[in-house]
Amino acid sequence: MSEFDLIRRHFTRPAPAGILGVGDDCALLPAMPGAWAVSTDLLLQGRHFFADVDPRALGHKALAVNLSDLAAMGAEPAGFVLGLGLPAVDEAWLAGFADGLHRLAERWRCPLVGGDTTRSDTGITLSVTVFGRVDARRALRRDAARDGDDIWVSGTLGEADVALRLLLRARGQGLERSDELGRALAGLDPQAASRLLEQTRPRLDWPQPRIALGLALAGVAHAAIDLSDGLLQDLGHVVAASHCGALLDAPALPLAKPLAALGERPAWQAALGGGDVYELCFTAPVAARARIAAMAGRLDLPLTRIGRMDAAVDGIGVRGSQGELLDAATLPQGFDHFR
Ligand code: ADP
Ligand code: MG
């Protein structure tokens, strides 16, 4: 199969009215008032996904993590392009990958409008760039949090971290025992571990971008960020950009149900430090509480207040069940590619 057959078969769908999609030198998207929200993510085999990952899940996730960035700005999806490096042409793999990708694209009316395809000698390489639209005055920027804002988070936390660690253990790639979560997981018998993996893995493989929430929050919330590297690290970006500290209440963290078996401290650790979450963390004025609670009902998505922005705090403080400040040295660090 040629490069062009491959593109035609797997990556060409009829473009929506008003858009020139795959097939020309450039895609054409209609110019609109407002700002383009643009984001890109690179996914490498061995670093971001295992070679034997379900190709449907990979196609879904490659787009989902980018849509999540649009959600975190309060932007509406408009389209995306796909850079693809493949060691070989595997028809079944490509069909699954394209299916996962296009299903999510259709769900959020975000068509694939172009890309590039090459042979790769270093495993599968994926790059997705997504385009969205937003009124720049309503965009949810990291630098817009204010002293006294409530800090909120959507959904539940901790599952993806637990799933990733259990997957690594199942592959004999070791389990980090140097922290409380690692020790709690290492202590599980194999049956309990595989049950917990089954319960938590969907959140790792099939993240749901919170687009509808982002759109509802635009103009209501002040700042927002999507959780990709861990709550403490990602909220840390908001804290730094907004020049205002934050105080979190660990007992308020919305822990995923399957984590209850691990005990309080390990579960907090997964919620504070675990990556690959793709929920939104946002700050909003106290006056918006009722509006945000109504949003949770309308979107059928838990929205939980987990703390507040506090100019008197340096960085992020986390309080335990007695309101005592937890020792910063015991708090998890988020993910960093070069640390
Ligand atoms: P060019 O040489 O002008 O870059 P290509 O021959 O690489 O064009 O691609 C032909 C068409 O197919 C272009 O419209 C391009 O956007 C599209 N395309 C190539 N690879 C992909 C892909 N992985 N997904 C979607 N569209 C693609
Ligand atoms: Mg090309």
Side-chain angles (χ1 to χ4, degrees), residues 16 190 244 298:
C244 181
R298 200 167 62 244

Side-chain angles (χ1 to χ4, degrees), residues 3-4 7 11 21-25 82-84 112-117:
E3 176 188 331
F4 304 103
I7 294 165
F11 299 116
V22 171
D24 215 311
D25 294 309
L82 168 69
L84 191 56
L112 176 58
V113 296
D116 199 26
T117 307

